[in-house]
Amino acid sequence: MLGHKALSADGQRRPDYGCFETWNTADNLVVNLNDTDYPRAGSVVYVGKYGELRMTSAFTRTFSPSFLLLRHSAGLRAGNHAVSLYNLAIERDLNPLIDASTASWDMVSLPFSLAVGGGSLQNGVTIDGNPVEAIQASDAVNDNGGQQLYLYQYDGAKRAEDLYSAVAPQNSKYWTFENSQIGANVGYLMAIPVATDAVTVRFTKSSSALPVYEETASGAKSLLLRQYNLKNVVNGRPQFTYKENMGWNLFGIPYLCSYTSEQMSIDHILYSYDSAARSFVALNSWEGNTIAPFSALFTQTATLLESEELTLDKPAIPLTTSPAPHGLRLSISGNNPAAGSDCVSLVADVIDDEPMDFDMSNDALKMMSFDPRVPQIYVYNADGVRFAHTQTADVEGETPLGVYTGEAGVYEIALTDDSDLDRYEQVILTDHVIGSKVDLKRGSYSFTVDDKAEETGRFTLTFGKLDDEMLSPSFYSPEKRRLRVVNLQGGETIRVYDTLGRQQVVRQAAGATDEFEIESGVYVIRIGQKNPVKGKVVVK
C-alpha cells in the first residue's frame, strides 16, 4: 500500500515484527517523498510503469528499501540525496514479433552488470520467474515453454574497419551476438521470439556485501566513450576510417530515472530508438531533450585519444519545454497507419564548399528502422551518405531526397508544423519520374508505389522562387473528410474517383485553391483535360 501507516502494539509507526511495508505505486504516477510519507527501512517498493519516485527537499530521511522494482520506464529521482541499493530490479516490456521474420527490437541499457543464463528472481535475467537463454535471431526458437531473448551488442571497431561503405543504411552488419554478460551502462539490442503477446523481462541484481547501485548526494557520474579508428598500414600505405564510421558507441545513462541531455559535459549528436514508433530519433544533447529511463543511445566521439570521458551531472527535474525547430522537417507517411511514419530535417544556406559534407558535431546520419514496413525519408550527398539531419544543404542548388516505402500504397510527403517556414520563400519538391513540381509550403505531395521500393534519384528539393505557372497542381487532406487542391490556375476540371473507378466528384476550380468535403478513403484524382495531373490521395 502506498504510504500505509502501520501501527505496532506500542503505538509506534513502524511495521509489525515479522512484517514489512510494501509500496506499490500506480502506472504514470509521480510520487514526491517527504518525511511523513516515504518507504521505511526494509520496505519493498514497486514503482508503476512510466511512474517516478522523487526525493524532494522536503525529504530528509534515508531511503533504504530492502528491494526496489522499477517497472517499464519507471524511475527513482534522488535529487540531492545519496542512494545505496542492495536489491534492485528493472523491468522492460518487449513487444511480440511483427511477422514471422521481423522482431520488435528495442535498445536497452542497465545501470549494473549481469550474467546471462541461469538467472533467478534474486539475480539475473528472467521472464515470468524463469531464467532466460540468449539466442541469435537465426537460431531455432524452442517450443517447450523455455524463455528466450535475442541479445546483441554493437561493434564500433567493426564499423570503423569497414572500408567499403561510408555509412551503413541499416546497421545489422555491426551487431554482434552476446550470450554471457550484460555490462553496466552499455547499450544492447534486444527482442523476443514470441509471436502473440508482449513479454516483461526482469533484470535483477542483488548483493549482501556491496551495493548494486550507488548515487552520491552531489557528485556526477562519468562514462568513457571509446574511439574506434583504423591505424593499419597495408603495403606501406595507411588505411583511414571514414569519418562517418569512426567512434561509434552505444551507451546508457548511469542513473535510475529519465535524464535531460543538456546535463552532459560535452555536446554530442545522440540517436535514440523509439520502439513504439519503430524509428530512430536524432537529438542534439545541448537542447535539453529528455532521455527515457534505461534506454540506450548511439553517439560518435571525435577525440584523438583512445577514449573520451563524458560527465553526467545528477538528474534534474525533467524540462517540459521542447527544443526550437531547426530549419525544415519533412515527413513521410502512407495510407496504412500501422506502418508508421518518418521525418528528416535540414537547414539550407549558401554553401561555399561541398554541400552536406558530414560534420559529426552538427549532422545526424540516417539510421533506418528495424521494421521493414515503416516508410523512411532522408537527404543524401554526392557520395550517397544519408542524413537524418544536415546543417549544410545548398539553398542555391538541388538537395537529393531519398525515400523508402515498405509496401504498396499511397504515400504523402509534407512539411511538419514545427518547420521554420519563414526562412524560405518556397520549398519546391520535384518528382523527376512524374515531372511534377510542388511547393510544400502550399501543400503536401502524394505519390503511389506498387511494391516495396527504395527511391533515390526520384525526388529533389530546391528553395529558389518559381513562377506559379511552373508549379504543378497538388492535393492533400488537411483534416478529416476534406480534400484540398492547390497550385491551380482556375477553371480546371477536378474529377475524383474511388478505387472501383466510380466518379465521386466533378467540379470546376474557382481559383488557385479548391477545397471540398468527401468521405474518408483512398481516391484517384484527375485535374485538367489536356496533359492532366493524376494521382492517388488518402482522405483522412
Side-chain angles (χ1 to χ4, degrees):
M1 291 177 289
L2 175 59
H4 172 59
K5 300 176 176 61
L7 298 178
S8 61
D10 58 4
Q12 299 297 312
R13 291 178 57 191
R14 62 174 182 265
D16 293 336
Y17 291 113
C19 301
F20 55 85
E21 181 179 357
T22 300
W23 277 48
N24 189 5
T25 72
D27 295 346
N28 300 294
L29 180 66
V30 174
V31 179
N32 294 304
L33 302 183
N34 57 55
D35 285 353
T36 300
D37 292 320
Y38 70 96
R40 271 44 178 189
S43 60
V44 172
V45 179
Y46 307 106
V47 183
K49 297 178 182 181
Y50 303 101
E52 190 171 277
L53 223 55
R54 290 181 182 172
M55 300 184 204
T56 66
S57 58
F59 179 63
T60 63
R61 309 287 188 175
T62 300
F63 182 77
S64 56
S66 64
F67 178 77
L68 173 64
L69 169 64
L70 300 174
R71 300 197 187 277
H72 180 83
S73 209
L76 171 69
R77 192 173 299 272
N80 60 351
H81 298 77
V83 174
S84 293
L85 300 174
Y86 289 81
N87 300 281
L88 174 61
I90 294 165
E91 289 184 345
R92 194 75 174 188
D93 293 345
L94 299 179
N95 291 322
L97 296 174
I98 295 168
D99 56 42
S101 60
T102 307
S104 293
W105 295 100
D106 198 3
M107 297 197 321
V108 181
S109 177
L110 301 174
F112 46 68
S113 60
L114 274 183
V116 179
S120 68
L121 281 174
Q122 288 73 43
N123 227 319
V125 186
T126 56
I127 297 175
D128 296 331
N130 299 312
V132 167
E133 174 193 8
I135 64 171
Q136 301 185 72
S138 58
D139 290 346
V141 177
N142 65 40
D143 56 1
N144 58 5
Q147 306 293 355
Q148 294 179 313
L149 179 72
Y150 297 144
L151 186 63
Y152 289 84
Q153 191 172 354
Y154 197 76
D155 192 340
K158 186 176 181 181
R159 179 162 184 171
E161 293 168 359
D162 192 338
L163 299 175
Y164 303 100
S165 162
V167 61
Q170 293 179 328
N171 298 283
S172 59
K173 62 192 296 187
Y174 306 122
W175 293 105
T176 58
F177 175 54
E178 177 57 60
N179 66 348
S180 60
Q181 186 78 15
I182 293 177
N185 307 315
V186 177
Y188 292 87
L189 182 69
M190 57 182 67
I192 52 171
V194 176
T196 52
D197 300 314
V199 167
T200 298
V201 184
R202 180 179 290 190
F203 307 91
T204 308
K205 184 79 169 184
S206 298
S207 172
S208 58
L210 296 173
V212 299
Y213 177 84
E214 288 186 291
E215 194 174 322
T216 62
S218 59
K221 294 191 175 188
S222 62
L223 300 171
L224 288 181
L225 301 178
R226 293 190 59 187
Q227 180 57 277
Y228 299 104
N229 203 357
L230 277 183
K231 297 180 180 179
N232 299 342
V233 177
V234 178
N235 298 324
R237 300 182 63 182
Q239 292 181 318
F240 296 103
T241 297
Y242 287 110
K243 58 185 175 182
E244 293 87 353
N245 286 348
M246 69 181 291
W248 282 96
N249 287 256
L250 183 61
F251 71 100
I253 303 299
Y255 293 100
L256 300 183
C257 60
S258 63
Y259 194 78
T260 305
S261 61
E262 66 181 1
Q263 295 182 264
M264 296 179 178
S265 61
I266 303 174
D267 293 340
H268 281 274
I269 301 293
L270 307 173
Y271 304 78
S272 66
Y273 188 72
D274 185 336
S275 59
R278 306 181 307 283
S279 285
F280 282 93
V281 180
L283 310 170
N284 296 331
S285 68
W286 56 91
E287 289 183 338
N289 292 282
T290 299
I291 301 165
F294 315 116
S295 58
L297 301 160
F298 275 113
T299 197
Q300 281 183 281
T301 177
T303 182
L304 299 178
L305 304 176
E306 294 296 322
S307 61
E308 168 190 7
E309 184 175 15
L310 183 63
T311 302
L312 299 95
D313 291 334
K314 291 204 67 171
I317 299 299
L319 300 178
T320 56
T321 56
S322 298
H326 290 277
L328 301 171
R329 293 185 79 233
L330 287 80
S331 66
I332 185 171
S333 57
N335 60 303
N336 177 12
S341 61
D342 190 36
C343 287
V344 62
S345 60
L346 67 149
V347 174
D349 211 335
V350 178
I351 305 299
D352 295 328
D353 300 319
E354 191 72 22
M356 294 190 290
D357 184 19
F358 175 61
D359 176 2
M360 72 173 66
S361 63
N362 287 300
D363 299 330
L365 296 174
K366 178 63 181 176
M367 292 189 175
M368 304 291 276
S369 172
F370 295 115
D371 184 346
R373 299 175 305 169
V374 179
Q376 302 284 281
I377 188 168
Y378 52 89
V379 293
Y380 58 96
N381 65 15
D383 295 324
V385 177
R386 301 176 179 185
F387 295 85
H389 174 79
T390 179
Q391 291 282 115
T392 56
D394 187 1
V395 75
E396 299 176 327
E398 283 192 329
T399 298
L401 182 72
V403 301
Y404 163 83
T405 52
E407 55 192 15
V410 183
Y411 289 85
E412 180 184 82
I413 298 174
L415 289 170
T416 63
D417 292 338
D418 58 353
S419 290
D420 185 5
L421 298 179
D422 294 337
R423 186 184 180 104
Y424 309 100
E425 190 168 8
Q426 290 186 330
V427 181
I428 308 300
L429 174 70
T430 301
D431 184 338
H432 295 278
V433 171
I434 304 299
S436 298
K437 292 179 183 287
V438 174
D439 182 3
L440 294 177
K441 290 184 67 174
R442 297 190 184 187
S444 60
Y445 179 71
S446 296
F447 65 101
T448 305
V449 296
D450 297 328
D451 201 352
K452 179 187 297 186
E454 186 90 47
E455 300 277 10
T456 56
R458 176 171 180 173
F459 299 108
T460 56
L461 294 172
T462 52
F463 306 93
K465 183 172 178 59
L466 294 177
D467 294 333
D468 286 346
E469 58 267 20
M470 297 178 65
L471 293 170
S472 303
S474 64
F475 34 86
Y476 63 101
S477 177
E479 55 186 271
K480 288 185 177 180
R481 294 185 293 278
R482 301 291 294 179
L483 181 60
R484 181 180 296 166
V485 185
V486 297
N487 301 335
L488 294 164
Q489 300 300 311
E492 296 98 327
T493 300
I494 302 172
R495 301 179 188 273
V496 181
Y497 305 86
D498 64 19
T499 53
L500 297 178
R502 298 173 298 194
Q503 183 172 284
Q504 301 297 310
V505 174
V506 58
R507 57 191 287 134
Q508 296 293 122
T513 299
D514 197 64
E515 184 172 329
F516 49 91
E517 186 172 339
I518 189 170
E519 287 300 313
S520 301
V522 179
Y523 295 93
V524 176
I525 187 167
R526 178 187 176 105
I527 304 167
Q529 301 291 342
K530 186 178 180 181
N531 299 319
V533 173
K534 297 180 291 183
K536 288 185 179 179
V537 64
V538 179
V539 177
K540 300 174 183 176

